[in-house]
mmCIF file of all heavy atoms in Angstrom:
data_model
loop_
_atom_site.group_PDB
_atom_site.id
_atom_site.type_symbol
_atom_site.label_atom_id
_atom_site.label_comp_id
_atom_site.label_asym_id
_atom_site.label_seq_id
_atom_site.Cartn_x
_atom_site.Cartn_y
_atom_site.Cartn_z
ATOM 1 N N ALA A 87 69.652 14.667 -5.648
ATOM 2 C CA ALA A 87 70.090 13.820 -6.756
ATOM 3 C C ALA A 87 71.080 12.784 -6.244
ATOM 4 O O ALA A 87 71.552 12.875 -5.104
ATOM 5 C CB ALA A 87 70.737 14.677 -7.845
ATOM 6 N N LYS A 88 71.357 11.810 -7.080
ATOM 7 C CA LYS A 88 72.438 10.872 -6.783
ATOM 8 C C LYS A 88 73.297 10.776 -8.039
ATOM 9 O O LYS A 88 72.774 10.666 -9.159
ATOM 10 C CB LYS A 88 71.899 9.508 -6.358
ATOM 11 C CG LYS A 88 71.156 8.747 -7.422
ATOM 12 C CD LYS A 88 70.702 7.388 -6.908
ATOM 13 C CE LYS A 88 69.942 6.670 -8.020
ATOM 14 N NZ LYS A 88 69.352 5.433 -7.580
ATOM 15 N N PRO A 89 74.594 10.846 -7.875
ATOM 16 C CA PRO A 89 75.459 10.802 -9.049
ATOM 17 C C PRO A 89 75.502 9.398 -9.645
ATOM 18 O O PRO A 89 75.582 8.413 -8.920
ATOM 19 C CB PRO A 89 76.827 11.196 -8.491
ATOM 20 C CG PRO A 89 76.766 10.813 -7.055
ATOM 21 C CD PRO A 89 75.343 10.980 -6.631
ATOM 22 N N GLU A 90 75.405 9.314 -10.957
ATOM 23 C CA GLU A 90 75.681 8.046 -11.633
ATOM 24 C C GLU A 90 77.187 7.954 -11.824
ATOM 25 O O GLU A 90 77.790 6.942 -11.549
ATOM 26 C CB GLU A 90 74.942 7.968 -12.958
ATOM 27 C CG GLU A 90 73.466 7.777 -12.745
ATOM 28 C CD GLU A 90 72.729 7.403 -13.999
ATOM 29 O OE1 GLU A 90 73.356 7.068 -15.028
ATOM 30 O OE2 GLU A 90 71.489 7.435 -13.949
ATOM 31 N N PHE A 91 77.756 9.041 -12.307
ATOM 32 C CA PHE A 91 79.209 9.195 -12.368
ATOM 33 C C PHE A 91 79.514 10.652 -12.650
ATOM 34 O O PHE A 91 78.795 11.321 -13.368
ATOM 35 C CB PHE A 91 79.865 8.286 -13.420
ATOM 36 C CG PHE A 91 79.176 8.319 -14.753
ATOM 37 C CD1 PHE A 91 79.445 9.304 -15.673
ATOM 38 C CD2 PHE A 91 78.249 7.350 -15.074
ATOM 39 C CE1 PHE A 91 78.802 9.335 -16.891
ATOM 40 C CE2 PHE A 91 77.596 7.364 -16.295
ATOM 41 C CZ PHE A 91 77.870 8.363 -17.200
ATOM 42 N N ILE A 92 80.556 11.123 -12.022
ATOM 43 C CA ILE A 92 81.064 12.472 -12.263
ATOM 44 C C ILE A 92 82.502 12.292 -12.716
ATOM 45 O O ILE A 92 83.313 11.646 -12.040
ATOM 46 C CB ILE A 92 80.991 13.340 -10.983
ATOM 47 C CG1 ILE A 92 79.540 13.412 -10.472
ATOM 48 C CG2 ILE A 92 81.546 14.733 -11.244
ATOM 49 C CD1 ILE A 92 78.535 14.008 -11.441
ATOM 50 N N LEU A 93 82.809 12.824 -13.866
ATOM 51 C CA LEU A 93 84.119 12.624 -14.463
ATOM 52 C C LEU A 93 85.148 13.584 -13.891
ATOM 53 O O LEU A 93 84.828 14.732 -13.567
ATOM 54 C CB LEU A 93 84.032 12.803 -15.979
ATOM 55 C CG LEU A 93 83.037 11.877 -16.695
ATOM 56 C CD1 LEU A 93 82.955 12.251 -18.174
ATOM 57 C CD2 LEU A 93 83.415 10.427 -16.523
ATOM 58 N N ARG A 94 86.369 13.112 -13.799
ATOM 59 C CA ARG A 94 87.487 13.988 -13.454
ATOM 60 C C ARG A 94 87.737 14.897 -14.659
ATOM 61 O O ARG A 94 87.361 14.566 -15.789
ATOM 62 C CB ARG A 94 88.742 13.169 -13.163
ATOM 63 C CG ARG A 94 88.639 12.289 -11.944
ATOM 64 C CD ARG A 94 89.987 11.627 -11.658
ATOM 65 N NE ARG A 94 90.653 11.139 -12.850
ATOM 66 C CZ ARG A 94 90.860 9.848 -13.138
ATOM 67 N NH1 ARG A 94 90.461 8.903 -12.316
ATOM 68 N NH2 ARG A 94 91.478 9.497 -14.250
ATOM 69 N N PRO A 95 88.403 16.038 -14.454
ATOM 70 C CA PRO A 95 88.639 16.949 -15.581
ATOM 71 C C PRO A 95 89.317 16.281 -16.782
ATOM 72 O O PRO A 95 88.967 16.570 -17.926
ATOM 73 C CB PRO A 95 89.527 18.039 -14.976
ATOM 74 C CG PRO A 95 89.099 18.076 -13.538
ATOM 75 C CD PRO A 95 88.816 16.632 -13.175
ATOM 76 N N ASP A 96 90.231 15.357 -16.542
ATOM 77 C CA ASP A 96 90.914 14.704 -17.659
ATOM 78 C C ASP A 96 90.039 13.669 -18.374
ATOM 79 O O ASP A 96 90.405 13.183 -19.442
ATOM 80 C CB ASP A 96 92.222 14.047 -17.192
ATOM 81 C CG ASP A 96 91.985 12.936 -16.173
ATOM 82 O OD1 ASP A 96 91.222 13.155 -15.215
ATOM 83 O OD2 ASP A 96 92.572 11.843 -16.341
ATOM 84 N N GLN A 97 88.881 13.354 -17.826
ATOM 85 C CA GLN A 97 87.969 12.388 -18.442
ATOM 86 C C GLN A 97 86.811 13.064 -19.183
ATOM 87 O O GLN A 97 86.133 12.419 -19.970
ATOM 88 C CB GLN A 97 87.341 11.479 -17.375
ATOM 89 C CG GLN A 97 88.317 10.618 -16.625
ATOM 90 C CD GLN A 97 87.618 9.914 -15.474
ATOM 91 O OE1 GLN A 97 86.920 10.533 -14.675
ATOM 92 N NE2 GLN A 97 87.804 8.613 -15.393
ATOM 93 N N CYS A 98 86.562 14.326 -18.900
ATOM 94 C CA CYS A 98 85.400 15.023 -19.453
ATOM 95 C C CYS A 98 85.425 15.024 -20.980
ATOM 96 O O CYS A 98 86.485 15.007 -21.599
ATOM 97 C CB CYS A 98 85.359 16.458 -18.935
ATOM 98 S SG CYS A 98 85.018 16.574 -17.170
ATOM 99 N N LEU A 99 84.234 15.059 -21.579
ATOM 100 C CA LEU A 99 84.096 15.003 -23.030
ATOM 101 C C LEU A 99 83.975 16.400 -23.621
ATOM 102 O O LEU A 99 83.179 17.214 -23.161
ATOM 103 C CB LEU A 99 82.866 14.194 -23.402
ATOM 104 C CG LEU A 99 82.804 12.770 -22.853
ATOM 105 C CD1 LEU A 99 81.520 12.101 -23.318
ATOM 106 C CD2 LEU A 99 84.009 11.958 -23.267
ATOM 107 N N ASP A 100 84.722 16.650 -24.666
ATOM 108 C CA ASP A 100 84.736 17.946 -25.333
ATOM 109 C C ASP A 100 83.419 18.176 -26.071
ATOM 110 O O ASP A 100 83.061 17.407 -26.963
ATOM 111 C CB ASP A 100 85.909 17.994 -26.308
ATOM 112 C CG ASP A 100 86.151 19.371 -26.882
ATOM 113 O OD1 ASP A 100 85.200 20.178 -26.992
ATOM 114 O OD2 ASP A 100 87.309 19.654 -27.238
ATOM 115 N N VAL A 101 82.721 19.232 -25.710
ATOM 116 C CA VAL A 101 81.428 19.537 -26.319
ATOM 117 C C VAL A 101 81.557 19.752 -27.827
ATOM 118 O O VAL A 101 80.660 19.401 -28.588
ATOM 119 C CB VAL A 101 80.757 20.755 -25.638
ATOM 120 C CG1 VAL A 101 81.505 22.039 -25.934
ATOM 121 C CG2 VAL A 101 79.298 20.879 -26.040
ATOM 122 N N ARG A 102 82.676 20.292 -28.273
ATOM 123 C CA ARG A 102 82.847 20.589 -29.702
ATOM 124 C C ARG A 102 82.859 19.336 -30.557
ATOM 125 O O ARG A 102 82.548 19.394 -31.742
ATOM 126 C CB ARG A 102 84.112 21.407 -29.914
ATOM 127 C CG ARG A 102 84.017 22.808 -29.295
ATOM 128 C CD ARG A 102 85.357 23.464 -29.244
ATOM 129 N NE ARG A 102 86.115 22.807 -28.180
ATOM 130 C CZ ARG A 102 86.996 23.411 -27.399
ATOM 131 N NH1 ARG A 102 87.252 24.675 -27.572
ATOM 132 N NH2 ARG A 102 87.626 22.765 -26.458
ATOM 133 N N GLN A 103 83.212 18.217 -29.966
ATOM 134 C CA GLN A 103 83.247 16.960 -30.714
ATOM 135 C C GLN A 103 81.894 16.255 -30.735
ATOM 136 O O GLN A 103 81.661 15.415 -31.589
ATOM 137 C CB GLN A 103 84.304 16.026 -30.111
ATOM 138 C CG GLN A 103 85.703 16.562 -30.257
ATOM 139 C CD GLN A 103 86.733 15.685 -29.548
ATOM 140 O OE1 GLN A 103 86.404 14.689 -28.927
ATOM 141 N NE2 GLN A 103 87.985 16.079 -29.650
ATOM 142 N N ILE A 104 81.020 16.588 -29.811
ATOM 143 C CA ILE A 104 79.753 15.865 -29.685
ATOM 144 C C ILE A 104 78.541 16.713 -30.057
ATOM 145 O O ILE A 104 77.641 16.260 -30.751
ATOM 146 C CB ILE A 104 79.585 15.335 -28.244
ATOM 147 C CG1 ILE A 104 80.723 14.361 -27.919
ATOM 148 C CG2 ILE A 104 78.234 14.668 -28.052
ATOM 149 C CD1 ILE A 104 80.768 13.935 -26.474
ATOM 150 N N ALA A 105 78.500 17.953 -29.590
ATOM 151 C CA ALA A 105 77.298 18.788 -29.715
ATOM 152 C C ALA A 105 76.789 18.965 -31.143
ATOM 153 O O ALA A 105 75.574 18.925 -31.356
ATOM 154 C CB ALA A 105 77.524 20.142 -29.058
ATOM 155 N N PRO A 106 77.654 19.160 -32.145
ATOM 156 C CA PRO A 106 77.107 19.349 -33.499
ATOM 157 C C PRO A 106 76.282 18.163 -34.000
ATOM 158 O O PRO A 106 75.421 18.326 -34.855
ATOM 159 C CB PRO A 106 78.357 19.559 -34.364
ATOM 160 C CG PRO A 106 79.374 20.105 -33.407
ATOM 161 C CD PRO A 106 79.104 19.379 -32.115
ATOM 162 N N GLY A 107 76.482 16.979 -33.447
ATOM 163 C CA GLY A 107 75.727 15.803 -33.869
ATOM 164 C C GLY A 107 74.491 15.505 -33.045
ATOM 165 O O GLY A 107 73.812 14.511 -33.290
ATOM 166 N N LEU A 108 74.176 16.348 -32.079
ATOM 167 C CA LEU A 108 72.996 16.125 -31.241
ATOM 168 C C LEU A 108 71.748 16.688 -31.911
ATOM 169 O O LEU A 108 71.799 17.733 -32.564
ATOM 170 C CB LEU A 108 73.190 16.778 -29.869
ATOM 171 C CG LEU A 108 74.350 16.251 -29.028
ATOM 172 C CD1 LEU A 108 74.512 17.081 -27.765
ATOM 173 C CD2 LEU A 108 74.168 14.774 -28.700
ATOM 174 N N ALA A 109 70.633 16.019 -31.726
ATOM 175 C CA ALA A 109 69.376 16.460 -32.344
ATOM 176 C C ALA A 109 68.944 17.834 -31.831
ATOM 177 O O ALA A 109 68.491 18.675 -32.599
ATOM 178 C CB ALA A 109 68.277 15.425 -32.076
ATOM 179 N N PHE A 110 69.116 18.069 -30.519
ATOM 180 C CA PHE A 110 68.597 19.330 -29.968
ATOM 181 C C PHE A 110 69.415 20.541 -30.380
ATOM 182 O O PHE A 110 68.940 21.664 -30.252
ATOM 183 C CB PHE A 110 68.425 19.235 -28.450
ATOM 184 C CG PHE A 110 69.566 19.763 -27.614
ATOM 185 C CD1 PHE A 110 69.511 21.018 -27.041
ATOM 186 C CD2 PHE A 110 70.695 18.980 -27.394
ATOM 187 C CE1 PHE A 110 70.548 21.491 -26.260
ATOM 188 C CE2 PHE A 110 71.723 19.450 -26.608
ATOM 189 C CZ PHE A 110 71.657 20.703 -26.051
ATOM 190 N N THR A 111 70.597 20.370 -30.924
ATOM 191 C CA THR A 111 71.404 21.509 -31.376
ATOM 192 C C THR A 111 71.173 21.841 -32.849
ATOM 193 O O THR A 111 71.626 22.886 -33.312
ATOM 194 C CB THR A 111 72.912 21.243 -31.168
ATOM 195 O OG1 THR A 111 73.311 20.138 -31.975
ATOM 196 C CG2 THR A 111 73.244 20.997 -29.710
ATOM 197 N N GLN A 112 70.473 20.981 -33.568
ATOM 198 C CA GLN A 112 70.340 21.135 -35.022
ATOM 199 C C GLN A 112 69.639 22.419 -35.444
ATOM 200 O O GLN A 112 69.990 22.989 -36.480
ATOM 201 C CB GLN A 112 69.629 19.917 -35.630
ATOM 202 C CG GLN A 112 70.414 18.628 -35.477
ATOM 203 C CD GLN A 112 71.841 18.738 -35.977
ATOM 204 O OE1 GLN A 112 72.079 19.049 -37.136
ATOM 205 N NE2 GLN A 112 72.799 18.502 -35.082
ATOM 206 N N ARG A 113 68.695 22.881 -34.672
ATOM 207 C CA ARG A 113 67.963 24.086 -35.092
ATOM 208 C C ARG A 113 68.852 25.326 -35.119
ATOM 209 O O ARG A 113 68.506 26.324 -35.728
ATOM 210 C CB ARG A 113 66.726 24.301 -34.237
ATOM 211 C CG ARG A 113 66.988 24.828 -32.862
ATOM 212 C CD ARG A 113 65.675 25.018 -32.156
ATOM 213 N NE ARG A 113 65.816 25.980 -31.090
ATOM 214 C CZ ARG A 113 64.978 26.096 -30.098
ATOM 215 N NH1 ARG A 113 63.922 25.324 -30.039
ATOM 216 N NH2 ARG A 113 65.158 26.995 -29.170
ATOM 217 N N TRP A 114 70.014 25.263 -34.466
ATOM 218 C CA TRP A 114 70.941 26.386 -34.471
ATOM 219 C C TRP A 114 72.005 26.246 -35.560
ATOM 220 O O TRP A 114 72.809 27.144 -35.736
ATOM 221 C CB TRP A 114 71.612 26.535 -33.099
ATOM 222 C CG TRP A 114 70.698 27.086 -32.063
ATOM 223 C CD1 TRP A 114 70.384 28.406 -31.869
ATOM 224 C CD2 TRP A 114 69.957 26.367 -31.085
ATOM 225 N NE1 TRP A 114 69.499 28.536 -30.819
ATOM 226 C CE2 TRP A 114 69.219 27.291 -30.319
ATOM 227 C CE3 TRP A 114 69.847 25.010 -30.766
ATOM 228 C CZ2 TRP A 114 68.397 26.912 -29.268
ATOM 229 C CZ3 TRP A 114 69.018 24.629 -29.718
ATOM 230 C CH2 TRP A 114 68.299 25.584 -28.994
ATOM 231 N N GLY A 115 72.039 25.123 -36.259
ATOM 232 C CA GLY A 115 73.010 24.919 -37.337
ATOM 233 C C GLY A 115 74.437 25.108 -36.862
ATOM 234 O O GLY A 115 74.833 24.553 -35.834
ATOM 235 N N ASP A 116 75.202 25.914 -37.611
ATOM 236 C CA ASP A 116 76.606 26.164 -37.257
ATOM 237 C C ASP A 116 76.756 26.938 -35.954
ATOM 238 O O ASP A 116 77.834 26.984 -35.379
ATOM 239 C CB ASP A 116 77.314 26.935 -38.376
ATOM 240 C CG ASP A 116 77.510 26.080 -39.618
ATOM 241 O OD1 ASP A 116 77.458 24.828 -39.501
ATOM 242 O OD2 ASP A 116 77.712 26.651 -40.704
ATOM 243 N N ASN A 117 75.692 27.542 -35.493
ATOM 244 C CA ASN A 117 75.720 28.283 -34.228
ATOM 245 C C ASN A 117 75.237 27.412 -33.070
ATOM 246 O O ASN A 117 74.573 27.892 -32.149
ATOM 247 C CB ASN A 117 74.850 29.544 -34.335
ATOM 248 C CG ASN A 117 75.408 30.518 -35.350
ATOM 249 O OD1 ASN A 117 76.600 30.767 -35.383
ATOM 250 N ND2 ASN A 117 74.538 31.039 -36.185
ATOM 251 N N TRP A 118 75.548 26.115 -33.099
ATOM 252 C CA TRP A 118 75.075 25.149 -32.099
ATOM 253 C C TRP A 118 75.391 25.573 -30.677
ATOM 254 O O TRP A 118 74.723 25.144 -29.746
ATOM 255 C CB TRP A 118 75.620 23.753 -32.389
ATOM 256 C CG TRP A 118 77.114 23.672 -32.423
ATOM 257 C CD1 TRP A 118 77.907 23.705 -33.528
ATOM 258 C CD2 TRP A 118 77.999 23.567 -31.311
ATOM 259 N NE1 TRP A 118 79.228 23.630 -33.177
ATOM 260 C CE2 TRP A 118 79.318 23.536 -31.812
ATOM 261 C CE3 TRP A 118 77.813 23.487 -29.931
ATOM 262 C CZ2 TRP A 118 80.433 23.442 -30.991
ATOM 263 C CZ3 TRP A 118 78.924 23.386 -29.112
ATOM 264 C CH2 TRP A 118 80.215 23.362 -29.645
ATOM 265 N N ARG A 119 76.400 26.419 -30.479
ATOM 266 C CA ARG A 119 76.734 26.859 -29.117
ATOM 267 C C ARG A 119 75.565 27.577 -28.438
ATOM 268 O O ARG A 119 75.466 27.588 -27.217
ATOM 269 C CB ARG A 119 77.970 27.759 -29.139
ATOM 270 C CG ARG A 119 79.248 27.023 -29.396
ATOM 271 C CD ARG A 119 80.436 27.992 -29.492
ATOM 272 N NE ARG A 119 81.665 27.303 -29.733
ATOM 273 C CZ ARG A 119 82.135 26.961 -30.927
ATOM 274 N NH1 ARG A 119 81.419 27.237 -32.012
ATOM 275 N NH2 ARG A 119 83.280 26.337 -31.062
ATOM 276 N N LEU A 120 74.691 28.159 -29.241
ATOM 277 C CA LEU A 120 73.522 28.849 -28.686
ATOM 278 C C LEU A 120 72.600 27.887 -27.943
ATOM 279 O O LEU A 120 71.840 28.303 -27.067
ATOM 280 C CB LEU A 120 72.747 29.562 -29.794
ATOM 281 C CG LEU A 120 73.485 30.713 -30.488
ATOM 282 C CD1 LEU A 120 72.680 31.235 -31.663
ATOM 283 C CD2 LEU A 120 73.822 31.807 -29.501
ATOM 284 N N ALA A 121 72.671 26.608 -28.262
ATOM 285 C CA ALA A 121 71.844 25.606 -27.572
ATOM 286 C C ALA A 121 72.216 25.501 -26.098
ATOM 287 O O ALA A 121 71.437 24.986 -25.300
ATOM 288 C CB ALA A 121 72.002 24.245 -28.247
ATOM 289 N N PHE A 122 73.392 25.997 -25.739
ATOM 290 C CA PHE A 122 73.872 25.888 -24.367
ATOM 291 C C PHE A 122 73.782 27.208 -23.609
ATOM 292 O O PHE A 122 74.434 27.387 -22.591
ATOM 293 C CB PHE A 122 75.304 25.335 -24.350
ATOM 294 C CG PHE A 122 75.367 23.947 -24.931
ATOM 295 C CD1 PHE A 122 75.734 23.753 -26.245
ATOM 296 C CD2 PHE A 122 75.015 22.852 -24.161
ATOM 297 C CE1 PHE A 122 75.767 22.482 -26.785
ATOM 298 C CE2 PHE A 122 75.048 21.573 -24.690
ATOM 299 C CZ PHE A 122 75.420 21.389 -26.005
ATOM 300 N N GLN A 123 72.951 28.113 -24.102
ATOM 301 C CA GLN A 123 72.683 29.348 -23.374
ATOM 302 C C GLN A 123 71.605 29.046 -22.338
ATOM 303 O O GLN A 123 70.727 28.236 -22.561
ATOM 304 C CB GLN A 123 72.208 30.448 -24.324
ATOM 305 C CG GLN A 123 73.215 30.819 -25.387
ATOM 306 C CD GLN A 123 74.470 31.417 -24.807
ATOM 307 O OE1 GLN A 123 74.421 32.303 -23.985
ATOM 308 N NE2 GLN A 123 75.620 30.921 -25.244
ATOM 309 N N GLY A 124 71.677 29.717 -21.216
ATOM 310 C CA GLY A 124 70.715 29.447 -20.154
ATOM 311 C C GLY A 124 71.277 28.404 -19.206
ATOM 312 O O GLY A 124 72.378 27.903 -19.378
ATOM 313 N N ASN A 125 70.519 28.032 -18.222
ATOM 314 C CA ASN A 125 71.000 27.151 -17.153
ATOM 315 C C ASN A 125 70.500 25.723 -17.305
ATOM 316 O O ASN A 125 71.063 24.807 -16.718
ATOM 317 C CB ASN A 125 70.535 27.758 -15.822
ATOM 318 C CG ASN A 125 70.921 26.983 -14.595
ATOM 319 O OD1 ASN A 125 70.080 26.732 -13.750
ATOM 320 N ND2 ASN A 125 72.180 26.613 -14.461
ATOM 321 N N LEU A 126 69.456 25.525 -18.121
ATOM 322 C CA LEU A 126 68.820 24.222 -18.135
ATOM 323 C C LEU A 126 68.101 24.006 -19.463
ATOM 324 O O LEU A 126 67.366 24.873 -19.917
ATOM 325 C CB LEU A 126 67.807 24.178 -16.988
ATOM 326 C CG LEU A 126 67.226 22.863 -16.575
ATOM 327 C CD1 LEU A 126 68.298 21.869 -16.163
ATOM 328 C CD2 LEU A 126 66.269 23.088 -15.402
ATOM 329 N N ARG A 127 68.337 22.828 -20.078
ATOM 330 C CA ARG A 127 67.702 22.491 -21.347
ATOM 331 C C ARG A 127 67.203 21.057 -21.308
ATOM 332 O O ARG A 127 67.937 20.159 -20.919
ATOM 333 C CB ARG A 127 68.698 22.581 -22.502
ATOM 334 C CG ARG A 127 69.198 23.940 -22.811
ATOM 335 C CD ARG A 127 68.305 24.586 -23.806
ATOM 336 N NE ARG A 127 68.875 25.878 -24.150
ATOM 337 C CZ ARG A 127 68.202 26.812 -24.740
ATOM 338 N NH1 ARG A 127 66.962 26.615 -25.067
ATOM 339 N NH2 ARG A 127 68.755 27.956 -25.014
#
Side-chain angles (χ1 to χ4, degrees):
K88 66 178 179 186
E90 288 192 12
F91 47 83
I92 302 300
L93 302 175
R94 295 186 318 248
D96 63 312
Q97 297 172 310
C98 292
L99 304 180
D100 190 332
V101 69
R102 293 167 287 214
Q103 295 175 359
I104 299 172
L108 298 174
F110 96 100
T111 63
Q112 296 308 302
R113 75 179 203 199
W114 286 279
D116 290 340
N117 295 316
W118 58 263
R119 287 177 180 86
L120 295 174
F122 298 97
Q123 299 296 311
N125 179 229
L126 194 58
R127 293 270 184 197

